[in-house]
Amino acid sequence: MLSSTWRSRSTRGVLVLGAAAALVLTGCSDKSSDGGGGGSSNLSIQPVVQLDTEGKAVAAGSTGTAANPAGDGQAKCAPVTLAMAGPLTGGNAALGINVLMGVKLALDEHNKANPGCQVSVKSFDTEGKPQIATQVIPTIVSDPNIVGLIGPTFSGETKATGQILSENNMPTLTASATNPTLTTNGWRTFFRGLGNDNSQGPAVANYLVKDKGAKKICVVVDNTDYGTGLAQAFTTAGGSAVDQSCTVNVKEGDKDFSAAVSKLAAAKPDAIFYSGYYAESAPFVQQLRSGGVNAIFASADGSNDPEFVRQAGASSKDALLSCPCSPAPEKFASAYKALNGQAPGVYSVEGYDLATILLKGIDSGKTTRADLVEFVRNYDGTGVARQYKWGPTGELANVQVWMYEVK
């Protein structure tokens, strides 16, 4: 999945990205040639429809001209640093690296246009694990040169570190952490750059019931904060279509799902919703198909990455994957690929947009953490993905959910 250049430079601590850093990662439009136990495949994740929370199709539309990180090219500032925290190694590293690559593109465009205001990024590897994030985040907040954070990437690591980030007045903009409870903790510096699972879960549940005609759905839930929160939202919205007698619980890191497959085969559902990450959902769907379970397989943003297709191979065909993130427009995708060597993945657009917002604040003279928090709190502008305007708890005013399909 990662180039040898990346692996040789990546550590659990910090990675500083310079202009020459070579980062290579597959993107949402990439093709998979790995059969992954299901025979050779030529599949990719393709956007299908944008939904409201009732599972009804809504027009994607255009929100206007996206903010340009280059600005007017006249910005002046002393050198400042942003941080990115998330998984850069480990089973779900692609989800963090996608964000990082989006941030990198925004900084590249900004710094080329503004020689008088150079902004760098330090990347901190948490492996997506709360216990590692609690060791990494104090390093970020203790560095006076770091004025803003893109991350953390996962809900569990965000939950474990949000308080210390708030206490240190660190602007904390996540491109991907979707557990709904994260904005109920009283944190003053947290801003979520996409919808939470209280929008995503119901949208997918209603889509499966109303559009796909599923009358019996079994839910597979992993033990992460993300997985449990999403499964709860999905189950509530699914109502009587969700058969809780066939709910399956799995753990992060599991690879043998034979008992779960046997239970699901006996239940004979119309659809299965997997609430978790691609490192487990890929082998799970492989084992489902090998076990003769042909029900609709659906999952959410934690699985919505080319690595799911690469690892699951032909078994991923027809899988439905949701995300409150947005597909990459052609112009963005072209610039992203030119810089990073691969197409954008899930959360790449959000990483770019959130970095752009912080850059706009820096260019306007807001170069302290406190000033940037207030800048983001009062921000109202168009990005590549959507309109960004936050309420008092750090939730977006404008939320959208996309359905994708492996084709």
Side-chain angles (χ1 to χ4, degrees), residues 149-173:
L149 170 66
I150 307 297
T153 301
F154 289 174
S155 294
E157 59 181 344
T158 304
K159 179 180 177 181
T161 59
Q163 186 60 37
I164 187 173
L165 289 163
S166 181
E167 289 172 354
N168 284 272
N169 219 24
M170 179 67 73
T172 303
L173 287 68

Side-chain angles (χ1 to χ4, degrees), residues 137-138 140-141 149 151-152 158-173 182 184-191 369-370 373-374 377 392-393:
I137 295 301
I140 295 175
V141 299
L149 170 66
T158 304
K159 179 180 177 181
T161 59
Q163 186 60 37
I164 187 173
L165 289 163
S166 181
E167 289 172 354
N168 284 272
N169 219 24
M170 179 67 73
T172 303
L173 287 68
L182 295 176
T184 66
N185 297 295
W187 302 334
R188 298 175 292 103
T189 65
F190 179 77
F191 303 92
R369 295 175 184 178
V373 167
E374 288 308 306
R377 193 185 313 281
T393 66

Side-chain angles (χ1 to χ4, degrees), residues 353-405:
D353 279 348
L354 295 179
T356 297
I357 291 169
L358 290 176
L359 290 168
K360 286 177 66 67
I362 292 168
D363 288 357
S364 70
K366 312 297 185 183
T367 57
T368 69
R369 295 175 184 178
D371 284 349
L372 276 175
V373 167
E374 288 308 306
F375 179 84
V376 176
R377 193 185 313 281
N378 295 298
Y379 190 83
D380 185 358
T382 303
V384 174
R386 63 186 58 85
Q387 190 77 9
Y388 290 90
K389 180 180 181 180
W390 285 276
T393 66
E395 294 283 14
L396 280 177
N398 176 43
V399 173
Q400 59 190 13
V401 177
W402 277 87
M403 288 303 302
Y404 299 75
E405 185 175 353

Side-chain angles (χ1 to χ4, degrees), residues 249-397:
N249 292 289
V250 298
K251 295 179 181 178
E252 189 177 20
D254 283 353
K255 296 302 177 186
D256 181 0
F257 301 106
S258 54
V261 169
S262 295
K263 183 175 181 178
L264 292 168
K268 298 181 180 179
D270 300 310
I272 295 166
F273 178 71
Y274 189 99
S275 188
Y277 295 106
Y278 70 77
E280 290 76 38
S281 64
F284 192 93
V285 74
Q286 276 187 329
Q287 292 172 45
L288 273 180
R289 299 316 187 208
S290 296
V293 181
N294 296 314
I296 295 169
F297 182 85
S299 191
D301 54 325
S303 297
N304 192 332
D305 189 88
E307 278 301 306
F308 170 75
V309 180
R310 188 180 302 277
Q311 294 177 23
S315 297
S316 67
K317 186 177 185 298
D318 300 325
L320 300 173
L321 305 172
S322 67
C323 193
C325 57
S326 294
E330 184 176 350
K331 183 178 179 181
F332 173 88
S334 177
Y336 184 102
K337 187 171 184 178
L339 182 69
N340 295 312
Q342 293 285 353
V346 66
Y347 312 133
S348 294
V349 177
E350 283 73 17
Y352 175 90
D353 279 348
L354 295 179
T356 297
I357 291 169
L358 290 176
L359 290 168
K360 286 177 66 67
I362 292 168
D363 288 357
S364 70
K366 312 297 185 183
T367 57
T368 69
R369 295 175 184 178
D371 284 349
L372 276 175
V373 167
E374 288 308 306
F375 179 84
V376 176
R377 193 185 313 281
N378 295 298
Y379 190 83
D380 185 358
T382 303
V384 174
R386 63 186 58 85
Q387 190 77 9
Y388 290 90
K389 180 180 181 180
W390 285 276
T393 66
E395 294 283 14
L396 280 177

Side-chain angles (χ1 to χ4, degrees), residues 35-336:
S40 62
S41 61
N42 189 30
L43 302 169
S44 61
I45 300 171
Q46 300 294 332
V48 175
V49 63
Q50 183 175 315
L51 305 173
D52 61 19
T53 57
E54 297 300 316
K56 297 177 182 177
V58 294
S62 174
T63 54
T65 303
N68 187 341
D72 61 7
Q74 303 300 310
K76 304 293 182 184
C77 71
V80 294
T81 304
L82 301 178
M84 180 273 169
L88 304 178
T89 59
N92 290 301
L95 300 176
I97 298 171
N98 292 347
V99 176
L100 178 57
M101 285 183 167
V103 173
K104 180 174 176 269
L105 177 59
L107 265 64
D108 182 73
E109 293 177 353
H110 174 271
N111 291 344
K112 285 179 178 176
N114 294 277
C117 183
Q118 295 294 288
V119 184
S120 60
V121 60
K122 288 184 177 180
S123 296
F124 294 81
D125 184 12
T126 66
E127 298 181 30
K129 300 181 183 300
Q131 62 270 31
I132 296 176
T134 55
Q135 301 168 26
V136 167
I137 295 301
T139 303
I140 295 175
V141 299
S142 65
D143 186 339
N145 295 315
I146 296 176
V147 297
L149 170 66
I150 307 297
T153 301
F154 289 174
S155 294
E157 59 181 344
T158 304
K159 179 180 177 181
T161 59
Q163 186 60 37
I164 187 173
L165 289 163
S166 181
E167 289 172 354
N168 284 272
N169 219 24
M170 179 67 73
T172 303
L173 287 68
T174 183
S176 50
T178 53
N179 185 288
T181 65
L182 295 176
T183 53
T184 66
N185 297 295
W187 302 334
R188 298 175 292 103
T189 65
F190 179 77
F191 303 92
R192 197 194 314 266
L194 71 177
N196 67 39
D197 291 329
N198 281 343
S199 59
Q200 184 174 202
V204 182
N206 285 310
Y207 182 73
L208 290 176
V209 172
K210 297 176 181 178
D211 190 88
K212 297 301 181 181
K215 294 180 172 56
K216 181 177 181 178
I217 304 172
C218 297
V219 176
V220 182
V221 53
D222 78 5
N223 62 335
T224 64
D225 284 285
Y226 162 73
T228 54
L230 176 60
Q232 182 178 5
F234 179 94
T235 299
T236 299
S240 60
V242 176
D243 185 346
Q244 298 193 46
S245 71
C246 61
T247 296
V248 171
N249 292 289
V250 298
K251 295 179 181 178
E252 189 177 20
D254 283 353
K255 296 302 177 186
D256 181 0
F257 301 106
S258 54
V261 169
S262 295
K263 183 175 181 178
L264 292 168
K268 298 181 180 179
D270 300 310
I272 295 166
F273 178 71
Y274 189 99
S275 188
Y277 295 106
Y278 70 77
E280 290 76 38
S281 64
F284 192 93
V285 74
Q286 276 187 329
Q287 292 172 45
L288 273 180
R289 299 316 187 208
S290 296
V293 181
N294 296 314
I296 295 169
F297 182 85
S299 191
D301 54 325
S303 297
N304 192 332
D305 189 88
E307 278 301 306
F308 170 75
V309 180
R310 188 180 302 277
Q311 294 177 23
S315 297
S316 67
K317 186 177 185 298
D318 300 325
L320 300 173
L321 305 172
S322 67
C323 193
C325 57
S326 294
E330 184 176 350
K331 183 178 179 181
F332 173 88
S334 177
Y336 184 102

